[in-house]
Amino acid sequence: MSDYIIAPSLLSADFARLGEEAVNVLKAGGDMLHLDVMDNHYVPNLTVGPLVCEALRKYGIKAPIDVHLMTRSVDSLINDFAKAGATNLTIHPESTDHVDRSLSLIHKHGCKAGLALNPATTLDCLEYVIDKLDLILIMSVNPGFGGQQFIPAILEKVKKARALIDNSGKNIRLAIDGGINADNIHKVAEAGADMFIMGSAIFTQPDYAKTINTIRNELNK
Ligand code: DX5
Ligand code: ZN
């Protein structure tokens, strides 16, 4: 399968030059931008709001923007990020009292909807909302920071999520987020992921094109 998506996570980019970094990483072969939204309540870190998403659009970014909401509540942010130009909106089931309603709200705005599962969150929460999902995001670190180590037990979960998607017959992306690099990406793809969110593995390297190229070669091995 060559239909892999590489989504560089801007969390590890140089925020003082965010527009430039976004353009460069897309030119280097990134398929879409992953934007991590943290509120210092749901996760112990604070990042950006819809203003930054809108600024990237105004700067000329045409590629899809994959917004990952790690916030205590999501519905008003869903409205704001949709207006700010988000393509995908992914939420954690723990951040809303009404997962089904929040997913419908994402679709109402014409965005793609994703559900993100923390390392300790089981796949059960997918059962009754699978029809409303365009994306399942498996967290392979605890959310909040870039540059953490991949949790090996998550490989098994990726396999189970792949089976669930295949059984559903739906066209749902299976994304992995956290600690992905050229050394482990092949294994994760084998387990069934087809979208790879990568922050530090790309942005700590001097040559983004060379790095993304190496990653794609690993995927297509
Ligand atoms: C972590 C974020 C990730 C983060 C991944 O909470 O959701 O998107 O940027 O960073 P790396 O690839 O460095 O683990
Ligand atoms: Zn993320």
Side-chain angles (χ1 to χ4, degrees), residues 38-78:
M38 304 183 184
D39 67 348
N40 196 35
H41 292 274
Y42 183 68
V43 289
N45 198 359
L46 184 64
T47 59
V48 298
L51 203 85
V52 172
C53 185
E54 195 182 352
L56 287 167
R57 288 295 183 217
K58 283 189 181 149
Y59 192 72
I61 300 294
K62 299 275 185 285
I65 300 182
D66 179 50
V67 174
H68 179 188
L69 292 179
M70 286 160 275
T71 57
R72 267 278 168 242
S73 63
V74 290
D75 289 356
S76 71
L77 285 172
I78 287 170

Side-chain angles (χ1 to χ4, degrees), residues 22-209:
V23 167
N24 288 344
V25 85
L26 289 167
K27 260 195 208 148
D31 297 304
M32 64 173 66
L33 298 172
H34 182 82
L35 191 63
D36 287 302
V37 179
M38 304 183 184
D39 67 348
N40 196 35
H41 292 274
Y42 183 68
V43 289
N45 198 359
L46 184 64
T47 59
V48 298
L51 203 85
V52 172
C53 185
E54 195 182 352
L56 287 167
R57 288 295 183 217
K58 283 189 181 149
Y59 192 72
I61 300 294
K62 299 275 185 285
I65 300 182
D66 179 50
V67 174
H68 179 188
L69 292 179
M70 286 160 275
T71 57
R72 267 278 168 242
S73 63
V74 290
D75 289 356
S76 71
L77 285 172
I78 287 170
N79 293 329
D80 295 345
F81 270 99
K83 284 181 203 139
T87 314
N88 303 342
L89 278 160
T90 295
I91 60 173
H92 285 252
E94 302 87 354
S95 20
T96 171
D97 289 332
H98 307 286
V99 174
D100 181 276
R101 177 184 285 153
S102 297
L103 293 172
S104 295
L105 182 61
I106 295 171
H107 281 151
K108 198 179 125 201
H109 284 290
C111 296
K112 289 191 173 168
L115 208 51
L117 308 185
N118 287 333
T121 303
T122 65
L123 297 170
D124 299 352
C125 59
L126 301 171
E127 187 173 358
Y128 296 105
V129 291
I130 196 133
D131 286 352
K132 293 200 162 124
L133 294 180
D134 303 292
L135 176 84
I136 295 169
L137 186 157
I138 306 287
M139 291 298 308
S140 36
V141 298
N142 287 291
F145 302 95
Q148 303 179 79
Q149 287 274 317
F150 180 86
I151 300 170
I154 300 302
L155 264 188
E156 207 46 47
K157 194 174 180 180
V158 173
K159 286 182 194 160
K160 286 185 184 158
R162 167 49 59 199
L164 215 129
I165 291 172
D166 290 350
N167 288 338
S168 80
K170 310 264 172 216
N171 185 18
I172 300 172
R173 281 275 166 196
L174 184 54
I176 185 93
D177 188 6
I180 302 298
N181 55 45
D183 295 331
N184 60 20
I185 198 165
H186 188 77
K187 253 192 317 196
V188 181
E190 256 177 6
D194 57 9
M195 174 168 165
F196 305 88
I197 295 156
M198 303 172 79
S200 52
I202 295 174
F203 285 103
T204 57
Q205 299 304 307
D207 187 337
Y208 300 162

